[in-house]
Amino acid sequence: MSSPTQAFFGLLQRELRLTIRRRNDWLNPPLFFILVVALLPLGIGPDPQTLALIAPGVIWVAALLATLLSLERLFRDDFDDGSLEQLLLSPHPLPLLVLAKLLAHWLVTGLPLVLISPLLGVLLHLPLAGILALPVSLLIGTPALTLIGAIGVALTVSLRRGGILLTLLVLPLYVPVLIFGTAAVTAPAQGLPNAGQLALLGALLVLALPLAPLAIAAGLRVSSH
Amino acid sequence: MTAAPLLLGTQLTCVRERRRLFRHLDVELDVGQALYLEGANGSGKTSLLRILSGLSEPRAGTVLWRGENIRDCRLSYYTQLLYLGHNPALKNDLTALENLQFYAQLSRHHGEAEQALTHLGLRGHENQPIRTLSAGQRRRVALARLWLSTAQLWLLDEPFTALDRTGVQHLQQRMAEHLAAEGAIVITSHQAIDLPNITRLNLS
């Protein structure tokens, strides 16, 4: 009998392997992220002060949408080819397997956003303090976005056109993350401390980390019914 | 008091898209027995298999594994269950070997994946991505799990699909071995099966 740890890392390995072999999957979200932010100055105008003012919000919204776009296919392939059934029938706790899938997904789609974000901060003339705060806020915020969004994905996976429903389900839940995330960048850019905003963002993540996998597992069982 | 049967479904009712597929259906399966589900297309064979596996909830009735409701003993039931749906559940971008190794990590397996593949005539195809294999070869890769699993109960949905004659023979032989080794099987198929201890259940 395989141990739960083996199952966790087995699934993680399979997911990472699959993404590496399908290049489009992991190139899309960062490309979307970069394009949205890079096109913005063309529409707004090149005034550094205006750009610096809206930079935190724009970068955060772009990261949020990039995450949402990438999430739609999280369980879709597994659902279509029958692997999801095999996960549901595994002798290991389903929330644990869900967590492995989400970790793989975040490593491929969330982490690149965190790493690229300082560069985009420079592009939008964000002050140095803001540029430094940006990846920190995204590092805490994007896993929360993935965890919360996946609940919606699990509930809509059996629907052929679940995309719009997914957006409607998930966006209200994303609002707190967006507000605290943006505030955690805006404050240092204006010379204020941001420990409070980061703490609240961290609290959201700490709350989502154990609870979301339970909800996702239940959602998947309902969807496969 | 006699011991509880291995798998017992009582008064099962299944409704799909407002159509009643079956109702008050009793299913009983003991060690060493096979149950062969017959019926026309759309008569509820797959639905019954999914209910027995716990993937779907029946509209009414319960499924008991060794006398315990499968909802209350899900994880211990699943250590003894191998369900192969009509979808082979293989990843197209992974090789045959990688697919099997993943399932070995996910559930109870013993023995070598390479050996099972060789046994099924897939030697030389182990490191080929699934997408490059034929339908019959894919089916063989999926079925290789029957040679690796230690599960006691097999739920097989149309396992003979796309198999050639030697493949069918191989599979029947393996099923007979499984039954002899205190296993149990529930199977749907449109093909005649020749197994000892087989009970037929017609859903039409």
Side-chain angles (χ1 to χ4, degrees):
Chain A
M1 169 90 193
S2 63
S3 69
T5 347
Q6 255 179 322
F8 180 87
F9 286 107
L11 184 55
L12 187 67
Q13 188 190 18
R14 182 189 78 156
E15 291 299 309
L16 292 177
R17 221 180 238 161
L18 277 172
T19 351
I20 290 167
R21 293 194 191 161
R22 285 189 306 227
R23 214 161 294 142
N24 290 3
D25 281 19
W26 57 270
L27 272 179
N28 257 341
L31 258 178
F32 175 86
F33 185 49
I34 295 170
L35 279 178
V36 169
V37 177
L39 285 177
L40 191 87
L42 298 178
I44 300 280
D47 173 34
Q49 262 184 331
T50 325
L51 288 179
L53 191 68
I54 57 168
V58 168
I59 295 175
W60 253 92
V61 167
L64 185 150
L65 293 178
T67 308
L68 195 58
L69 276 178
S70 71
L71 273 175
E72 211 186 319
R73 289 199 42 207
L74 181 59
F75 295 113
R76 163 71 50 208
D77 292 343
D78 285 349
F79 183 81
D80 287 341
D81 69 16
S83 326
L84 189 60
E85 288 174 354
Q86 296 297 330
L87 293 184
L88 296 181
L89 297 176
S90 138
H92 300 295
L94 188 55
L96 184 79
L97 301 177
V98 164
L99 210 55
K101 262 201 86 90
L102 292 183
L103 177 60
H105 186 265
W106 180 79
L107 284 175
V108 188
T109 59
L111 192 57
L113 302 186
V114 175
L115 298 176
I116 300 168
S117 62
L119 224 69
L120 298 179
V122 173
L123 197 72
L124 295 185
H125 302 284
L126 200 64
L128 184 66
I131 292 176
L132 294 178
L134 198 51
V136 180
S137 71
L138 284 174
L139 188 66
I140 308 173
T142 46
L145 292 180
T146 304
L147 284 160
I148 296 167
I151 302 173
V153 183
L155 286 169
T156 53
V157 69
S158 62
L159 308 172
R160 280 296 110 189
R161 305 220 179 279
I164 295 166
L165 186 59
L166 170 67
T167 313
L168 289 175
L169 269 176
V170 165
L171 270 186
L173 299 171
Y174 273 3
V175 170
V177 183
L178 178 65
I179 289 172
F180 295 125
T182 313
V185 185
T186 314
Q190 295 169 345
L192 300 167
N194 68 347
Q197 289 89 331
L198 284 179
L200 279 167
L201 206 55
L204 287 174
L205 175 61
V206 168
L207 202 66
L209 199 58
L211 294 181
L214 296 177
I216 297 162
L220 287 176
R221 290 217 190 272
V222 170
S223 287
S224 76
H225 170 63
Chain B
M1 198 183 116
T2 53
L6 200 62
L7 187 69
L8 182 68
T10 46
Q11 300 285 304
L12 297 174
T13 303
C14 174
V15 179
R16 282 262 155 197
E17 310 286 333
R18 296 199 196 153
R19 218 163 58 82
R20 198 172 56 217
L21 292 175
F22 47 80
R23 71 169 183 174
H24 305 323
L25 185 73
D26 291 319
V27 179
E28 194 181 328
L29 192 70
D30 240 319
V31 171
Q33 284 181 344
L35 181 65
Y36 176 40
L37 304 180
E38 288 176 307
N41 295 123
S43 59
K45 301 188 292 293
T46 298
S47 297
L48 180 56
L49 271 190
R50 289 175 63 88
I51 286 173
L52 291 178
S53 74
L55 280 174
S56 301
E57 291 279 323
R59 176 62 62 93
T62 49
V63 180
L64 304 179
W65 167 253
R66 297 176 196 268
E68 209 180 335
N69 194 325
I70 57 168
R71 261 187 286 175
D72 305 328
C73 62
R74 207 186 277 277
L75 295 187
S76 66
Y77 177 43
Y78 288 164
T79 59
Q80 292 299 336
L81 173 75
L82 181 66
Y83 171 92
L84 293 185
H86 51 79
N87 237 329
L90 301 170
K91 286 290 173 197
N92 278 329
D93 292 307
L94 299 182
T95 68
L97 203 55
E98 284 167 346
N99 268 296
L100 287 181
Q101 279 164 350
F102 167 66
Y103 282 119
Q105 285 168 314
L106 192 66
S107 50
R108 293 168 70 111
H109 274 197
H110 72 105
E112 286 295 318
E114 282 105 330
Q115 256 175 18
L117 287 173
T118 309
H119 188 71
L120 282 160
L122 289 167
R123 180 189 269 281
H125 297 288
E126 298 98 331
N127 294 316
Q128 237 172 293
I130 294 294
R131 66 163 76 258
T132 64
L133 299 179
S134 75
Q137 287 173 322
R138 283 178 211 193
R139 176 62 61 178
R140 281 168 187 251
V141 176
L143 289 173
R145 292 180 64 198
L146 296 179
W147 273 262
L148 298 168
S149 170
T150 54
Q152 190 176 17
L153 175 65
W154 293 357
L155 302 180
L156 308 177
D157 197 353
E158 302 283 355
F160 295 114
T161 313
L163 278 189
D164 59 17
R165 206 173 300 161
T166 53
V168 172
Q169 265 173 10
H170 256 81
L171 181 54
Q172 291 216 9
Q173 206 180 347
R174 177 66 190 129
M175 289 198 289
E177 278 170 30
H178 181 60
L179 293 178
E182 304 216 311
I185 303 173
V186 182
I187 183 173
T188 74
S189 177
H190 290 293
Q191 204 151 359
I193 312 177
D194 177 31
L195 277 178
N197 271 334
I198 194 160
T199 326
R200 278 161 199 281
L201 178 66
N202 198 321
L203 292 175
S204 294

